[in-house]
């Protein structure tokens, strides 16, 4: 009988010890390290989506490099995603289906103000992180098309950009300044890759492409064709800038796509935006990581990404508090 009682008591002790160990209690009464938050209390990484654009533009490859820098330097794990670009990106942020995005400054402003494609339905949950680089409005064709001016587009089959893209709005405004509309052309709503493929195959005559130069899709076209960038006349540039102040005079430099001379046109700015819900401290760390490691950006547009120009072209758009904190420390103001 005594032996039986001892066995029961010993079994109870063993069971108690096993339960204690499973609950993570250490021998000194503290809590054992479960392996989470390794590194002495570091916070777990936060998964965030970065909406870019199509693979043939600038947003996607540049976004991949920026995502790598931020992921390496902070607790954020950034995943770039292809998209229909600016307007679609703003709508996706509105819906809470992503946290970060590229946008043209003009499209972001329209979204906040409830204008153009956002008419009467402004977006109020998105803030600016920074403007990045000029996005050049490129009217692309080839020598065999015979197109030499914007006016020559009349009656031609022209890609005016994917639905919901900034390129579409730019195309409509350039046509407007020239006394034209999409009714004067055979308009096609195509992505950058689809546009240049269409020019290559002869299915379309020209395409409006708003992106940082050199643009991947246009470079691919220039490998087999004599690419022509149609200029915008100086007086039309001034009219465009006066009516739509988000534009600035720009040029596609000679040598780009093998062109022999600079071509005058206009540009808006690419920018990085974030949902208001993204943590202030995390946005501060991401902004700091990006601007203190721009030497790791190998894309041609990396040279434009500097703290000194980060607040240019933002207009009245509100800065995310985390970004504002970084630029204040860096001595940069609007």
């Amino acid at each position: 009988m005594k032996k039986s009682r001892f066995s029961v008591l010993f079994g109870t002790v063993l069971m108690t010890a096993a339960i204690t160990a499973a609950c993570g209690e250490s021998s000194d009464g503290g809590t054992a390290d479960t392996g989470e938050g390794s590194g002495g209390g570091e916070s777990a990484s936060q998964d965030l989506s970065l909406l870019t654009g199509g693979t043939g533009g600038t947003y996607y490859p540049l976004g991949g490099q920026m995502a790598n820098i931020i992921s390496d330097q902070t607790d954020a794990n950034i995943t770039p995603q292809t998209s229909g670009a600016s307007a679609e990106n703003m709508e996706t942020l509105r819906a809470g289906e992503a946290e970060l995005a590229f946008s043209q400054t003009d499209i972001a402003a329209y979204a906040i103000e409830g204008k153009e494609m956002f008419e009467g339905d402004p977006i109020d949950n998105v803030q600016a992180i920074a403007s990045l680089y000029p996005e050049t409005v490129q009217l692309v064709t080839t020598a065999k098309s015979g197109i030499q001016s914007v006016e020559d587009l009349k009656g031609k089959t022209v890609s005016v950009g994917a639905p919901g893209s900034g390129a579409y709005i730019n195309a409509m405004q350039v046509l407007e300044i020239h006394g034209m509309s999409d009714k004067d052309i055979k308009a096609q709503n195509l992505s950058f890759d689809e546009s240049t493929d269409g020019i290559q195959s002869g299915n379309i005559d020209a395409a409006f492409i708003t992106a940082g130069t050199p643009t991947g899709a246009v470079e691919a076209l220039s490998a087999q064709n004599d690419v022509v960038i149609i200029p915008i006349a100086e007086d039309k540039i001034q009219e465009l800038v006066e009516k739509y102040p988000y534009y600035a005079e720009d040029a596609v430099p000679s040598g780009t796509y093998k062109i022999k001379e600079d071509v005058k046109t206009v540009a808006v700015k690419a920018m990085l935006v974030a949902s208001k819900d993204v943590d202030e401290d995390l946005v501060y760390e991401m902004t700091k990581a990006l601007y203190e490691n721009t030497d790791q950006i190998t894309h041609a547009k990396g040279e434009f990404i500097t703290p000194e120009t980060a607040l240019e072209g933002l207009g009245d758009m509100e800065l995310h508090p985390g970004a504002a904190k970084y630029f204040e420390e860096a001595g940069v103001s609007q």
Side-chain angles (χ1 to χ4, degrees):
M1 180 65 101
K2 289 182 181 178
K3 183 175 180 182
S4 176
R5 287 177 179 173
F6 175 79
S7 299
V8 171
L9 178 61
F10 183 66
T12 302
V13 171
L14 288 176
M15 183 177 295
T16 301
I19 292 172
T20 299
C23 291
E25 290 185 1
S26 62
S27 59
D28 62 1
T31 301
D33 184 2
T34 62
E36 295 181 4
S38 60
E42 292 179 3
S43 58
S45 64
Q46 299 186 47
D47 295 329
L48 305 177
S49 295
L50 170 60
L51 303 172
T52 59
T55 56
T58 300
Y59 288 170
Y60 185 73
L62 180 60
Q65 293 185 13
M66 290 168 56
N68 287 338
I69 291 171
I70 294 171
S71 297
D72 288 344
Q73 299 290 328
T74 73
D75 288 327
N77 180 31
I78 310 295
T79 302
Q81 296 183 3
T82 58
S83 72
S86 298
E88 180 182 308
N89 290 353
M90 296 296 289
E91 288 289 3
T92 305
L93 290 185
R94 185 213 295 265
E97 296 172 359
E99 296 77 29
L100 305 169
F102 281 87
S103 177
Q104 293 178 195
T105 50
D106 56 336
I107 302 304
Y110 295 147
I112 301 304
E113 296 166 1
K115 296 180 179 178
E116 295 291 347
M117 70 280 277
F118 306 97
E119 185 69 42
D121 190 21
I123 293 176
D124 62 3
N125 67 329
V126 178
Q127 295 172 318
I129 292 181
S131 66
L132 301 172
Y133 61 88
E135 288 205 271
T136 306
V137 179
Q138 305 166 72
L139 178 48
V140 181
T141 186
T142 59
K144 63 185 177 183
S145 75
I147 297 170
Q148 298 181 341
S149 68
V150 176
E151 289 86 354
D152 289 343
L153 295 178
K154 288 183 179 180
K156 301 291 188 180
T157 303
V158 183
S159 172
V160 293
S165 69
Y168 175 80
I169 293 295
N170 302 145
M172 294 303 101
Q173 291 169 345
V174 169
L175 290 173
E176 175 197 347
I177 291 297
H178 288 80
M180 300 165 63
S181 74
D182 55 352
K183 302 291 190 300
D184 294 298
I185 61 175
K186 298 171 185 174
Q188 302 289 311
N189 295 111
L190 304 174
S191 70
F192 295 166
D193 282 326
E194 291 169 336
S195 296
T196 52
D197 286 348
I199 293 173
Q200 170 73 33
S201 64
N203 291 326
I204 66 173
D205 300 299
F208 283 92
I209 291 178
T210 301
T213 57
T215 307
V218 187
E219 282 193 302
L221 180 65
S222 71
Q224 301 181 54
N225 297 269
D226 293 328
V227 163
V228 174
I229 307 297
I230 302 302
I232 300 178
E234 183 65 36
D235 62 327
K236 298 300 183 183
I237 288 175
Q238 298 311 315
E239 285 184 46
L240 197 58
V241 171
E242 184 174 345
K243 185 164 186 178
Y244 301 106
Y246 296 106
Y247 289 104
E249 186 168 342
D250 196 17
V252 180
S254 63
T256 310
Y257 318 129
K258 304 175 186 174
I259 62 176
K260 294 180 171 57
E261 297 178 345
D262 292 356
V263 177
K264 282 189 175 183
T265 182
V266 292
V268 290
K269 278 259 192 165
M271 69 183 301
L272 188 63
V273 296
S275 166
K276 287 183 177 180
D277 295 334
V278 183
D279 179 73
E280 177 179 337
D281 290 338
L282 184 59
V283 171
Y284 167 80
E285 293 297 337
M286 290 193 296
T287 309
K288 181 181 176 71
L290 175 62
Y291 280 93
E292 293 186 358
N293 293 278
T294 54
D295 60 321
Q296 296 181 33
I297 299 175
T298 60
H299 192 282
K301 290 303 167 189
E303 65 179 289
F304 294 96
I305 303 176
T306 68
E308 292 76 20
T309 60
L311 303 183
E312 293 179 357
L314 297 184
D316 296 328
M317 191 170 182
E318 187 179 49
L319 269 179
H320 192 288
K325 178 182 177 182
Y326 170 74
F327 291 120
E328 184 178 350
E329 288 182 1
V332 179
S333 59
Q334 285 179 281

